[in-house]
Amino acid sequence: MKDQWITIKAVSLINNCPECYSTDGLELTLKQEFIDTKFSKSITQNISTQMHCTTCNTEIYPERWTEDIERIYDYQMKAFEPKQSSKKMKPLFWVLLGSAAITIAILVAFITTYKLA
Ligand SMILES: [Zn+2]
């Protein structure tokens, strides 16, 4: 089982970067967690965010955020609509389920024949 974070939305902010003071480098990325197994792929409601400046190529951690950044972050989080939780079965699951059904059918047929004999 592996966890995967998939970028749902990336927003360019016009706020000053706390590191290089550029006004066109900040980018807020919103990610949602997927759980990928052999049998299924499900979307969780776990959200992770990342602030990054593309001008100075720095990760901007919350402790470096200015009030303006916090305000825009809150706004973006309110506007953000995560994907609905869902679970999708993969082909392998159906193959195994099919095999199980066939095995049961054979067993039932066998038992029935045996009882009649
Ligand atoms: Zn910067």
Side-chain angles (χ1 to χ4, degrees), residues 14-111:
I14 50 157
N15 299 70
N16 281 87
C17 167
E19 301 295 336
C20 69
Y21 306 104
S22 153
T23 51
D24 56 7
L26 280 188
E27 202 175 80
L28 175 68
T29 311
L30 298 120
K31 294 177 179 184
Q32 201 167 345
E33 189 188 27
F34 280 67
I35 294 170
D36 204 356
T37 69
K38 277 196 183 73
F39 302 120
S40 67
K41 189 169 189 175
S42 27
I43 307 172
T44 71
Q45 289 301 292
N46 294 339
I47 310 292
S48 131
T49 56
Q50 210 173 28
M51 186 84 69
H52 178 86
C53 174
T54 55
T55 306
C56 60
N57 219 0
T58 310
E59 190 75 46
I60 315 294
Y61 295 102
E63 43 287 12
R64 297 285 294 144
W65 294 2
T66 61
E67 261 179 47
D68 282 345
I69 295 176
E70 269 170 31
R71 206 173 303 136
I72 205 88
Y73 175 84
D74 285 345
Y75 171 79
Q76 289 295 340
M77 286 306 278
K78 273 187 201 124
F80 178 61
E81 284 177 17
K83 286 185 186 295
Q84 290 291 308
S85 292
S86 73
K87 192 165 190 165
K88 218 174 126 191
M89 301 326 261
K90 287 186 174 175
L92 182 62
F93 172 81
W94 298 113
V95 168
L96 287 179
L97 189 74
S99 318
I102 291 166
T103 311
I104 291 166
I106 291 169
L107 272 173
V108 168
F110 180 80
I111 292 164

